[in-house]
Amino acid sequence: GGELNSVIKDWDSVAIRAALIFPDIYDIGVSNVGLKILYDQINQRDDALAERAYAPWTDMEALMREHGIPLYALESKRPLSGFDLIGFSLPYETLYTNTLNVLDLAGIPLRTDERDMTHPIIIAGGHSTMNPEPMHAFIDAFVIGEGEEVIHDIIDAIKRLTFNVERSTLNREALLLELAHIPGV
Protein backbone atom coordinates (compact mmCIF):
# COMPACT_ATOMS: atom_id res chain seq x y z
CA GLY A 1 0.00 0.00 0.00
CA GLY A 2 0.88 3.66 -0.16
CA GLU A 3 2.00 3.67 -3.79
CA LEU A 4 1.99 6.69 -6.03
CA ASN A 5 -1.58 7.22 -7.35
CA SER A 6 -3.23 5.05 -4.70
CA VAL A 7 -6.53 6.55 -3.57
CA ILE A 8 -7.63 6.94 0.02
CA LYS A 9 -11.26 7.91 0.54
CA ASP A 10 -13.25 8.45 3.71
CA TRP A 11 -15.01 5.13 4.33
CA ASP A 12 -18.11 6.84 5.75
CA SER A 13 -18.48 9.33 2.90
CA VAL A 14 -19.49 6.77 0.26
CA ALA A 15 -22.47 4.49 -0.25
CA ILE A 16 -20.65 1.58 -1.89
CA ARG A 17 -17.27 0.12 -0.99
CA ALA A 18 -15.57 -2.19 -3.47
CA ALA A 19 -12.47 -4.32 -2.99
CA LEU A 20 -10.70 -5.29 -6.18
CA ILE A 21 -8.61 -8.42 -5.87
CA PHE A 22 -5.95 -10.04 -7.96
CA PRO A 23 -5.74 -13.48 -6.34
CA ASP A 24 -1.98 -13.82 -6.46
CA ILE A 25 0.87 -12.07 -4.69
CA TYR A 26 1.23 -8.31 -4.97
CA ASP A 27 4.37 -8.56 -7.12
CA ILE A 28 2.41 -10.38 -9.83
CA GLY A 29 -0.97 -8.67 -9.48
CA VAL A 30 0.04 -5.02 -9.18
CA SER A 31 0.76 -4.80 -12.91
CA ASN A 32 -2.72 -6.02 -13.91
CA VAL A 33 -4.04 -3.23 -16.14
CA GLY A 34 -7.70 -4.27 -15.86
CA LEU A 35 -7.61 -3.90 -12.09
CA LYS A 36 -6.00 -0.46 -12.41
CA ILE A 37 -8.70 0.70 -14.83
CA LEU A 38 -11.54 -0.48 -12.58
CA TYR A 39 -9.83 1.04 -9.53
CA ASP A 40 -9.68 4.40 -11.30
CA GLN A 41 -13.25 4.17 -12.66
CA ILE A 42 -14.76 3.43 -9.26
CA ASN A 43 -12.68 6.00 -7.40
CA GLN A 44 -13.77 8.71 -9.83
CA ARG A 45 -17.28 8.30 -8.45
CA ASP A 46 -18.32 10.42 -5.46
CA ASP A 47 -20.58 7.66 -4.11
CA ALA A 48 -18.10 4.76 -4.16
CA LEU A 49 -14.59 3.78 -3.27
CA ALA A 50 -12.30 1.05 -4.50
CA GLU A 51 -9.44 -0.50 -2.60
CA ARG A 52 -7.14 -3.36 -3.54
CA ALA A 53 -6.10 -6.69 -2.09
CA TYR A 54 -3.81 -9.48 -3.16
CA ALA A 55 -3.11 -13.00 -1.95
CA PRO A 56 -0.39 -12.98 0.69
CA TRP A 57 2.75 -15.06 0.38
CA THR A 58 2.67 -18.34 2.29
CA ASP A 59 4.58 -17.05 5.35
CA MET A 60 2.21 -14.08 5.76
CA GLU A 61 -0.83 -16.30 5.21
CA ALA A 62 0.38 -18.68 7.93
CA LEU A 63 0.81 -15.79 10.38
CA MET A 64 -2.60 -14.34 9.49
CA ARG A 65 -4.28 -17.70 10.08
CA GLU A 66 -2.33 -18.31 13.30
CA HIS A 67 -3.37 -14.96 14.74
CA GLY A 68 -6.91 -14.88 13.30
CA ILE A 69 -6.23 -11.87 11.06
CA PRO A 70 -8.62 -11.78 8.09
CA LEU A 71 -7.38 -10.67 4.69
CA TYR A 72 -7.70 -6.90 4.38
CA ALA A 73 -7.47 -4.14 1.79
CA LEU A 74 -4.23 -2.26 1.26
CA GLU A 75 -5.57 1.27 1.50
CA SER A 76 -7.69 1.18 4.68
CA LYS A 77 -6.54 -2.13 6.20
CA ARG A 78 -10.23 -3.02 6.60
CA PRO A 79 -11.23 -6.70 6.37
CA LEU A 80 -12.56 -7.72 2.97
CA SER A 81 -15.70 -9.07 4.62
CA GLY A 82 -16.74 -5.48 5.41
CA PHE A 83 -16.94 -4.39 1.77
CA ASP A 84 -20.17 -4.30 -0.24
CA LEU A 85 -18.62 -5.67 -3.40
CA ILE A 86 -15.57 -7.81 -4.07
CA GLY A 87 -14.33 -8.05 -7.63
CA PHE A 88 -11.81 -10.66 -8.70
CA SER A 89 -9.67 -10.31 -11.80
CA LEU A 90 -9.19 -13.81 -13.22
CA PRO A 91 -7.00 -13.63 -16.32
CA TYR A 92 -6.11 -17.34 -16.16
CA GLU A 93 -7.59 -20.53 -14.74
CA THR A 94 -4.72 -21.29 -12.37
CA LEU A 95 -6.04 -18.48 -10.14
CA TYR A 96 -9.26 -20.37 -9.35
CA THR A 97 -7.82 -22.09 -6.29
CA ASN A 98 -6.17 -18.86 -5.13
CA THR A 99 -9.58 -17.18 -5.36
CA LEU A 100 -11.06 -19.77 -3.01
CA ASN A 101 -8.12 -19.37 -0.65
CA VAL A 102 -8.57 -15.57 -0.62
CA LEU A 103 -12.28 -15.93 0.22
CA ASP A 104 -11.44 -18.37 3.02
CA LEU A 105 -8.69 -16.13 4.39
CA ALA A 106 -11.13 -13.22 4.33
CA GLY A 107 -13.67 -15.20 6.37
CA ILE A 108 -16.24 -15.17 3.57
CA PRO A 109 -18.15 -18.41 2.89
CA LEU A 110 -16.78 -20.08 -0.22
CA ARG A 111 -20.08 -21.09 -1.79
CA THR A 112 -22.63 -18.56 -2.99
CA ASP A 113 -25.46 -20.53 -1.41
CA GLU A 114 -23.83 -20.11 2.02
CA ARG A 115 -23.79 -16.30 1.82
CA ASP A 116 -26.45 -13.83 2.85
CA MET A 117 -26.77 -10.05 2.61
CA THR A 118 -24.30 -9.57 5.46
CA HIS A 119 -21.61 -10.80 3.04
CA PRO A 120 -20.18 -8.89 0.09
CA ILE A 121 -21.40 -9.58 -3.42
CA ILE A 122 -18.62 -11.50 -5.18
CA ILE A 123 -18.06 -10.83 -8.88
CA ALA A 124 -15.34 -11.95 -11.25
CA GLY A 125 -14.16 -10.93 -14.67
CA GLY A 126 -11.25 -11.53 -16.95
CA HIS A 127 -10.29 -13.94 -19.68
CA SER A 128 -10.89 -17.11 -17.66
CA THR A 129 -14.48 -16.11 -16.88
CA MET A 130 -15.58 -16.42 -20.49
CA ASN A 131 -16.74 -19.85 -19.35
CA PRO A 132 -18.01 -19.21 -15.82
CA GLU A 133 -19.07 -22.82 -15.17
CA PRO A 134 -15.95 -23.97 -13.24
CA MET A 135 -16.41 -21.20 -10.64
CA HIS A 136 -20.21 -20.77 -10.67
CA ALA A 137 -20.67 -22.24 -7.18
CA PHE A 138 -18.30 -19.67 -5.68
CA ILE A 139 -18.87 -16.42 -7.60
CA ASP A 140 -22.18 -14.54 -7.38
CA ALA A 141 -21.94 -12.86 -10.79
CA PHE A 142 -19.52 -12.85 -13.71
CA VAL A 143 -18.70 -9.99 -16.04
CA ILE A 144 -18.21 -11.32 -19.55
CA GLY A 145 -16.23 -8.84 -21.61
CA GLU A 146 -14.81 -5.49 -20.64
CA GLY A 147 -15.68 -4.22 -17.18
CA GLU A 148 -15.00 -0.50 -17.24
CA GLU A 149 -18.54 0.46 -18.21
CA VAL A 150 -20.51 -2.37 -16.63
CA ILE A 151 -18.90 -1.79 -13.23
CA HIS A 152 -20.93 1.41 -12.97
CA ASP A 153 -24.16 -0.49 -13.67
CA ILE A 154 -23.22 -3.06 -11.02
CA ILE A 155 -22.47 -0.38 -8.43
CA ASP A 156 -25.70 1.45 -9.29
CA ALA A 157 -27.72 -1.75 -8.87
CA ILE A 158 -26.15 -2.56 -5.52
CA LYS A 159 -26.63 1.01 -4.34
CA ARG A 160 -30.25 1.09 -5.53
CA LEU A 161 -31.12 -2.11 -3.68
CA THR A 162 -29.09 -1.60 -0.51
CA PHE A 163 -28.84 2.12 0.20
CA ASN A 164 -30.61 3.26 3.38
CA VAL A 165 -31.83 -0.27 4.10
CA GLU A 166 -30.76 -2.70 6.81
CA ARG A 167 -28.69 -5.26 4.86
CA SER A 168 -30.00 -8.24 6.82
CA THR A 169 -33.58 -7.49 5.66
CA LEU A 170 -32.69 -7.57 1.97
CA ASN A 171 -33.23 -10.47 -0.35
CA ARG A 172 -29.88 -11.58 -1.81
CA GLU A 173 -31.58 -13.44 -4.64
CA ALA A 174 -33.36 -10.25 -5.71
CA LEU A 175 -30.05 -8.43 -5.88
CA LEU A 176 -28.44 -11.22 -7.89
CA LEU A 177 -31.41 -11.24 -10.27
CA GLU A 178 -31.03 -7.47 -10.69
CA LEU A 179 -27.35 -7.98 -11.57
CA ALA A 180 -28.29 -10.72 -14.06
CA HIS A 181 -30.37 -8.19 -16.00
CA ILE A 182 -27.29 -6.07 -16.71
CA PRO A 183 -25.93 -6.81 -20.21
CA GLY A 184 -22.62 -8.66 -19.91
CA VAL A 185 -23.29 -9.93 -16.38
Side-chain angles (χ1 to χ4, degrees):
E3 308 90 335
L4 183 65
N5 295 322
S6 61
V7 177
I8 307 291
K9 285 190 172 184
D10 177 19
W11 184 266
D12 296 321
S13 71
V14 297
I16 301 296
R17 298 159 192 99
L20 301 175
I21 302 172
F22 191 91
D24 208 330
I25 61 172
Y26 176 89
D27 303 53
I28 294 172
V30 72
S31 62
N32 182 276
V33 176
L35 206 72
K36 290 179 181 183
I37 290 169
L38 295 176
Y39 181 80
D40 180 60
Q41 287 290 308
I42 296 169
N43 279 318
Q44 285 185 38
R45 295 176 64 123
D46 292 332
D47 62 347
L49 65 75
E51 297 189 11
R52 299 161 298 142
Y54 302 88
W57 195 246
T58 55
D59 60 344
M60 179 68 169
E61 179 182 344
L63 286 170
M64 292 173 77
R65 289 186 186 281
E66 178 184 338
H67 296 285
I69 300 169
L71 188 59
Y72 52 85
L74 291 180
E75 287 80 2
S76 68
K77 309 296 188 271
R78 291 179 184 265
L80 296 182
S81 61
F83 284 79
D84 303 300
L85 171 67
I86 292 181
F88 283 95
S89 177
L90 297 175
Y92 35 89
E93 291 83 357
T94 55
L95 293 178
Y96 289 169
T97 54
N98 287 14
T99 299
L100 300 180
N101 192 48
V102 163
L103 288 172
D104 183 58
L105 189 56
I108 298 169
L110 295 183
R111 300 181 65 83
T112 60
D113 60 5
E114 297 172 348
R115 297 183 204 127
D116 58 31
M117 284 305 295
T118 64
H119 299 109
I121 296 297
I122 309 297
I123 63 171
H127 292 76
S128 72
T129 63
M130 295 301 281
N131 174 13
E133 186 61 25
M135 291 292 285
H136 85 276
F138 312 105
I139 304 296
D140 296 319
F142 293 89
V143 174
I144 309 301
E146 299 300 322
E148 57 264 27
E149 291 183 24
V150 75
I151 191 64
H152 296 291
D153 296 332
I154 292 168
I155 289 172
D156 290 341
I158 294 171
K159 182 179 172 185
R160 187 171 49 254
L161 291 175
T162 63
F163 195 70
N164 290 330
V165 177
E166 176 60 40
R167 287 184 70 87
S168 62
T169 65
L170 292 172
N171 182 324
R172 187 173 181 87
E173 290 74 29
L175 177 54
L176 296 177
L177 185 59
E178 182 80 13
L179 293 177
H181 285 97
I182 298 171
V185 176

